[in-house]
């Protein structure tokens, strides 16, 4: 019998290996800077995506030979590639702007040490390998003043969050400053409930937080109605209040990293409404910077079009004519001018490019006011992906299956089935002549309130209610039984979202249709289980997936026997943006490729008030249905929401 290796000895070996890995990663990073030096000479693009794909494919193959999972390898090397790209960008940007190269930056940020703004500033300076001198400020105006007066080199302003959206106060201060945007950085935001050591969730009575984290954690806070909320000017102030509290019954919302600076423990993690919660910060300075042409650049400008019908459309048409991609459009009221707005645009282009110069000249002629706020390197790195087939295990049986599939039309294709697949469930029908109207309701929700909502939704003209968040609903089996009874009473179809594999068993007992959450789109085991069911299946596209991957997922379900498959495009993340964009081009490609019904969910990409603007395009591109979201699950549908839903459905059917 072999002797068991002592645990301490194994841990020492792991520690030694970790040290070796860190040394190798540091060496790899230095080599990537040598690549940047060569690109500075021959002006080559910062990224070579084909080489990155070849690299990932080779590493996946070699990893399998060593017993390593393909997704693990890809996830690991996507992080390494991102680090390499951002370091090369920072190096080349610094070389192009030698006057900005200093051993230390004075950084102005919101709050004190430990705030999210502090973490963003720290990350930005660390990327450039410079020391950071801290200058905490009590407001966004104070940050602007610190940079304008020369007290700080850079100011860090949070501009938007993937959960709570744009931060309007920052847009308002940008309207009046002479500073230039010279950079951006994005940080992962994991909101935690931070308390003094020894506290637990049952002790907490008061929660301190900045308004933004409160908005981003609204669902969690809604489940803890016993908390008294106290607003603070920053997350750092919230943590300081908890640290100084004489009692252990208070907590703050902040990061675990920030909490550690205040000797606070994270007693609850993952509070944000969305799993992926990121905040984007812009960096402002007194002078603009030059962006080398091989770096992906972003230009931000503000403009006022005047009160003339079609003025904004005319301005945006200029960008389209010059093939310029707009990744952000935000409007803010102009003080003292009722009903007129200032528009903020992020355009993925270098200010020095011919297309951008020409477009700006044309915009100057047709706008009432236009100003460039800055041109800077885009620091959002779009991950390189392999095709879905390359992630499959390459054993002999699967190779035979792939050859068989390629020798005949794939099941989702129009070559396999010429006529469009018709799927009907009661009054819910997926077709281009009468598109399906589906509304998503976020659980948890009280049954009595749900009944009120369903009555209103039926009157508005929806044909189905989509329930998301099974794991959040107390007594879920009993509650779903009552909800299903209510939906049947109003002749509405019940769609249940499968966010976790464990949701499947209970969902199949209550749902008329199932929707596979985008995060599970690559889950082969779950796809095959769905393929064995008799229920119609909606597959939601992962925002990082291409059309090929979505169709491949549908083929897996179809190959198991279930021919009732609907595709749902909920938008994609494009051009290094951390935000989801509506993919109308993807809708065109899907409708041209497959006989399966295709519905669209614009709610992640577009505000409810803007959806009517896009509806003509969605209808003309022959979408078989649309999914909308209720903004809040813990309140009765407001009169404003009622009006907006009524306008949307009227536009959809007329």
């Amino acid at each position: 019998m072999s002797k068991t290796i002592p645990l301490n000895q194994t841990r020492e070996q792991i520690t030694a290996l970790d040290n070796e890995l860190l040394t190798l990663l540091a060496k790899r990073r230095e080599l990537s800077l040598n690549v940047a030096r060569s690109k500075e000479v021959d002006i080559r693009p910062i990224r070579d995506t084909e080489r990155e794909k070849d690299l990932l494919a080779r590493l996946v193959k070699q990893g399998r030979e060593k017993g390593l999972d393909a997704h693990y390898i890809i996830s690991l090397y996507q992080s390494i590639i991102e680090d390499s790209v951002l370091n090369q960008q920072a190096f080349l940007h610094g070389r192009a702007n030698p006057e900005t190269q200093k051993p230390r930056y004075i950084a102005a940020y919101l709050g004190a040490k430990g705030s999210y703004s502090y973490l963003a500033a720290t990350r930005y300076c660390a990327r450039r390998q410079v020391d950071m001198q801290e200058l905490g400020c009590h407001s966004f105006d104070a940050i602007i003043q610190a940079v304008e007066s020369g007290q700080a080199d850079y100011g860090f302003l949070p501009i938007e969050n993937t959960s709570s959206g744009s931060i309007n106060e920052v847009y308002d201060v940008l309207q009046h400053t002479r500073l230039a945007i010279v950079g951006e950085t994005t940080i992962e935001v994991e909101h935690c409930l931070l308390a003094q050591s020894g506290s637990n969730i049952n002790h907490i009575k008061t929660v301190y937080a900045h308004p933004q984290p409160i908005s981003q954690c609204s669902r969690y806070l809604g489940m803890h109605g016993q908390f008294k909320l106290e607003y603070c000017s920053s997350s750092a102030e919230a943590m300081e209040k908890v640290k100084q509290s004489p009692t252990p019954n208070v907590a703050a919302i902040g990061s675990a990293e920030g909490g550690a600076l205040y000797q606070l423990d994270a007693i609850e993690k993952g509070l944000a409404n969305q799993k992926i919660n990121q905040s984007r910060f812009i960096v402002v300075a007194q002078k603009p910077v030059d962006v080398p042409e091989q770096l992906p650049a972003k230009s931000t400008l503000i403009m006022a079009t005047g009160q003339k019908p079609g003025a904004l459309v005319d301005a945006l048409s200029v960008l389209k004519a010059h093939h310029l991609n707009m990744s952000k459009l935000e409007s803010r009221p102009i003080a003292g001018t009722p009903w007129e707005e200032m528009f903020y645009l992020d355009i993925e282009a270098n200010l020095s490019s011919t297309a951008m110069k020409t477009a700006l000249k044309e915009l100057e002629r047709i706008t009432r006011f236009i100003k460039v706020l800055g041109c800077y390197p885009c620091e959002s790195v779009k991950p390189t992906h392999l095709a879905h087939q390359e992630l499959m295990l390459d054993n002999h049986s699967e190779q035979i299956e792939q050859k068989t599939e390629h020798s005949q039309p794939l099941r989702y294709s129009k070559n396999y089935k010429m006529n469009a697949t018709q799927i009907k469930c009661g009054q819910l029908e997926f077709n281009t002549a009468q598109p399906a109207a589906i509304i998503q309701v976020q659980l948890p929700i009280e049954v009595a309130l749900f009944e009120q909502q369903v009555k209103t939704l039926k009157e508005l003209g929806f044909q189905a209610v989509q329930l998301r968040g099974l794991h959040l609903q107390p007594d879920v089996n009993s509650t779903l039984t009552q909800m299903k009874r209510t939906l049947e009473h109003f002749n509405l179809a019940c769609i249940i979202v499968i966010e976790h594999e464990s949701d499947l068993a209970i969902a199949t007992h209550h749902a008329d249709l199932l929707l596979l959450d985008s995060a599970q789109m690559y889950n082969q085991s779950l796809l095959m289980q769905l393929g064995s069911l008799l229920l119609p299946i909606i597959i939601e596209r992962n925002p990082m997936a291409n059309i090929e991957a979505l169709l491949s997922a549908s083929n897996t379900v179809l190959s198991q026997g279930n021919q009732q498959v609907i595709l749902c495009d909920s938008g994609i993340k494009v051009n290094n943006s951390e935000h989801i964009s509506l993919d109308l081009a993807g809708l065109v490609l899907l409708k041209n490729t497959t006989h399966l019904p295709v519905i669209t969910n614009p709610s992640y990409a577009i505000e409810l008030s803007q959806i009517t603007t896009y509806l003509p395009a969605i209808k003309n591109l022959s979408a078989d249905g649309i999914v909308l979201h209720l903004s809040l699950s813990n309140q009765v549908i407001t009169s404003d929401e009622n009006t907006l839903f009524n306008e949307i459905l009227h536009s959809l059917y007329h």
Side-chain angles (χ1 to χ4, degrees):
M1 185 175 179
S2 60
K3 186 178 179 180
T4 303
I5 300 175
L7 178 59
N8 287 343
Q9 184 178 340
T10 302
R11 285 176 171 169
E12 288 174 1
Q13 292 174 336
I14 291 174
T15 299
L17 281 173
D18 286 339
N19 290 335
E20 289 181 36
L21 286 172
L22 290 173
T23 301
L24 291 171
L25 287 171
K27 186 174 181 180
R28 191 188 192 284
R29 176 184 273 192
E30 183 57 39
L31 289 172
S32 75
L33 290 181
N34 288 340
V35 173
R37 292 183 180 96
S38 70
K39 290 176 180 177
E40 182 183 15
V41 176
D42 53 16
I43 318 297
R44 282 181 290 118
I46 198 73
R47 295 191 73 179
D48 184 345
T49 53
E50 288 305 314
R51 183 186 180 282
E52 290 175 13
K53 287 181 180 180
D54 291 341
L55 170 68
L56 288 178
R58 175 172 57 81
L59 291 170
V60 165
K61 184 175 183 298
Q62 292 176 342
R64 283 181 177 143
E65 294 170 356
K66 302 178 186 297
L68 296 175
D69 176 70
H71 293 281
Y72 167 71
I73 294 170
I74 289 174
S75 176
L76 175 63
Y77 272 88
Q78 281 175 341
S79 296
I80 291 174
I81 290 170
E82 178 183 16
D83 178 77
S84 176
V85 168
L86 291 177
N87 278 310
Q88 289 185 45
Q89 285 186 187
F91 173 82
L92 291 173
H93 190 229
R95 298 281 289 179
N97 298 274
E99 69 282 0
T100 67
Q101 301 305 289
K102 301 166 64 175
R104 172 177 292 186
Y105 292 157
I106 302 174
Y109 53 85
L110 185 66
K113 193 171 185 177
S115 67
Y116 286 112
S117 295
Y118 166 83
L119 298 177
T122 302
R123 173 174 178 171
Y124 186 85
C125 293
R127 178 74 64 192
R128 285 146 186 81
Q129 298 182 345
V130 297
D131 294 330
M132 184 180 88
Q133 184 174 329
E134 304 159 12
L135 182 60
C137 300
H138 65 276
S139 68
F140 297 137
D141 282 324
I143 294 172
I144 295 291
Q145 290 169 10
V147 182
E148 286 181 341
S149 66
Q151 189 180 0
D153 297 309
Y154 295 108
F156 291 81
L157 299 166
I159 196 74
E160 55 189 336
N161 176 270
T162 53
S163 178
S164 58
S166 299
I167 300 173
N168 293 330
E169 300 94 322
V170 174
Y171 281 106
D172 291 341
V173 298
L174 288 176
Q175 187 173 332
H176 305 290
T177 183
R178 64 176 185 271
L179 300 179
I181 303 175
V182 298
E184 66 174 4
T185 188
T186 300
I187 63 170
E188 295 287 340
V189 177
E190 184 184 9
H191 291 309
C192 303
L193 196 66
L194 304 168
Q196 296 175 9
S197 181
S199 295
N200 64 53
I201 190 68
N202 297 321
H203 296 153
I204 305 305
K205 295 181 180 179
T206 301
V207 174
Y208 296 100
H210 184 269
Q212 281 295 319
I214 288 176
S215 172
Q216 294 160 24
C217 303
S218 59
R219 291 177 193 160
Y220 173 83
L221 294 172
M223 295 169 63
H224 294 277
Q226 74 276 17
F227 290 164
K228 178 186 176 184
L229 298 179
E230 294 285 351
Y231 289 85
C232 299
S233 62
S234 71
S235 298
E237 181 191 349
M239 292 184 284
E240 180 66 31
K241 285 181 177 291
V242 174
K243 179 184 177 182
Q244 300 299 333
S245 174
T247 61
N249 61 358
V250 297
I253 297 178
S255 68
E257 185 180 355
L261 297 173
Y262 291 84
Q263 293 81 51
L264 302 178
D265 294 338
I267 60 174
E268 293 266 297
K269 295 184 177 181
L271 311 188
N273 298 343
Q274 294 187 13
K275 296 176 185 177
I276 300 176
N277 189 29
Q278 299 174 325
S279 286
R280 174 180 167 237
F281 291 76
I282 55 172
V283 188
V284 294
Q286 287 190 355
K287 296 180 180 179
V289 291
D290 295 324
V291 182
E293 62 183 75
Q294 70 261 53
L295 301 191
K298 186 179 291 183
S299 296
T300 298
L301 54 96
I302 56 176
M303 67 181 185
T305 58
Q307 294 176 308
K308 185 179 71 172
L312 178 59
V313 174
D314 291 342
L316 298 183
S317 297
V318 172
L319 302 180
K320 180 180 179 181
H322 294 284
H323 307 288
L324 295 170
N325 185 58
M326 180 183 65
S327 59
K328 179 76 174 176
L329 174 63
E330 191 71 30
S331 64
R332 293 295 297 153
I334 300 175
T337 310
W339 311 116
E340 192 167 355
E341 294 179 317
M342 185 75 75
F343 295 98
Y344 293 76
L345 296 84
D346 283 346
I347 302 169
E348 292 174 347
N350 198 315
L351 202 59
S352 63
S353 68
T354 302
M356 194 66 188
K357 287 179 179 178
T358 306
L360 280 174
K361 288 181 180 178
E362 294 181 20
L363 288 172
E364 287 173 357
R365 290 196 293 268
I366 64 174
T367 56
R368 190 168 65 81
F369 173 88
I370 187 165
K371 175 186 175 183
V372 175
L373 294 180
C375 178
Y376 47 96
C378 179
E379 291 214 3
S380 298
V381 179
K382 184 180 179 181
T384 298
H385 290 281
L386 295 180
H388 183 64
Q389 289 84 350
E390 295 176 272
L391 300 179
M392 301 289 288
L393 290 172
D394 52 349
N395 57 44
H396 181 66
S397 63
E398 285 176 322
Q399 288 176 359
I400 293 174
E401 183 180 344
Q402 282 189 359
K403 288 178 181 177
T404 303
E405 285 185 349
H406 286 298
S407 64
Q408 60 184 10
L410 293 165
R411 289 176 172 85
Y412 59 75
S413 74
K414 289 187 174 181
N415 291 331
Y416 186 86
K417 181 181 177 182
M418 291 296 296
N419 297 328
T421 293
Q422 301 292 319
I423 298 177
K424 187 175 181 180
C425 182
Q427 287 193 341
L428 178 66
E429 187 171 354
F430 298 91
N431 61 65
T432 57
Q434 193 79 358
I438 301 167
I439 188 77
Q440 178 170 286
V441 173
Q442 176 66 46
L443 303 179
I445 186 173
E446 295 180 4
V447 172
L449 177 55
F450 180 75
E451 291 175 351
Q452 295 177 39
Q453 290 183 340
V454 169
K455 181 177 183 296
T456 302
L457 295 171
K458 175 65 177 180
E459 292 170 350
L460 285 167
F462 288 99
Q463 298 106 45
V465 172
Q466 184 168 294
L467 303 175
R468 176 181 287 273
L470 287 192
H471 60 290
L472 299 175
Q473 183 71 47
D475 195 13
V476 63
N477 194 37
S478 173
T479 304
L480 282 181
T481 299
Q482 297 176 70
M483 289 180 172
K484 181 65 182 298
R485 191 180 301 123
T486 299
L487 292 171
E488 288 177 342
H489 175 74
F490 288 100
N491 200 18
L492 293 176
C494 177
I495 304 173
I496 296 181
V497 181
I498 306 299
E499 297 177 81
H500 310 279
E501 202 156 349
S502 57
D503 293 340
L504 189 58
I506 191 168
T508 53
H509 288 295
H510 299 281
D512 298 310
L513 303 91
L514 299 177
L515 182 141
L516 182 65
D517 183 66
S518 62
Q520 296 290 343
M521 197 196 81
Y522 289 108
N523 188 329
Q524 289 296 301
S525 171
L526 195 46
L527 288 168
M528 294 179 75
Q529 290 180 67
L530 294 173
S532 65
L533 299 177
L534 296 177
L535 294 174
I537 306 299
I538 305 173
I539 303 177
E540 185 178 45
R541 179 184 178 185
N542 188 296
M544 301 301 295
N546 56 25
I547 295 299
E548 179 188 26
L550 175 62
L551 291 171
S552 181
S554 73
N555 208 61
T556 301
V557 176
L558 293 167
S559 66
Q560 299 303 305
N562 190 342
Q563 304 303 300
Q564 300 182 93
V565 176
I566 302 117
L567 304 179
C568 177
D569 197 325
S570 296
I572 56 171
K573 295 182 179 180
V574 295
N575 298 319
N576 301 329
S577 173
E578 61 271 17
H579 292 287
I580 292 178
S581 301
L582 189 64
D583 186 17
L584 295 178
L587 179 59
V588 173
L589 182 56
L590 285 169
K591 293 297 294 186
N592 288 336
T593 304
T594 181
H595 58 82
L596 301 174
V598 181
I599 63 177
T600 183
N601 181 350
S603 300
Y604 296 111
I606 304 168
E607 295 291 336
L608 185 64
S609 59
Q610 299 176 328
I611 288 179
T612 51
T613 306
Y614 292 83
L615 266 181
I618 293 172
K619 288 174 62 178
N620 290 337
L621 296 177
S622 303
D624 297 287
I626 188 170
V627 181
L628 304 175
H629 293 185
L630 280 181
S631 58
L632 294 172
S633 62
N634 59 344
Q635 293 184 2
V636 176
I637 299 172
T638 66
S639 58
D640 287 342
E641 285 180 319
N642 196 311
T643 300
L644 286 171
F645 286 136
N646 189 52
E647 290 176 358
I648 292 169
L649 293 190
H650 184 271
S651 299
L652 185 66
Y653 295 126
H654 294 87

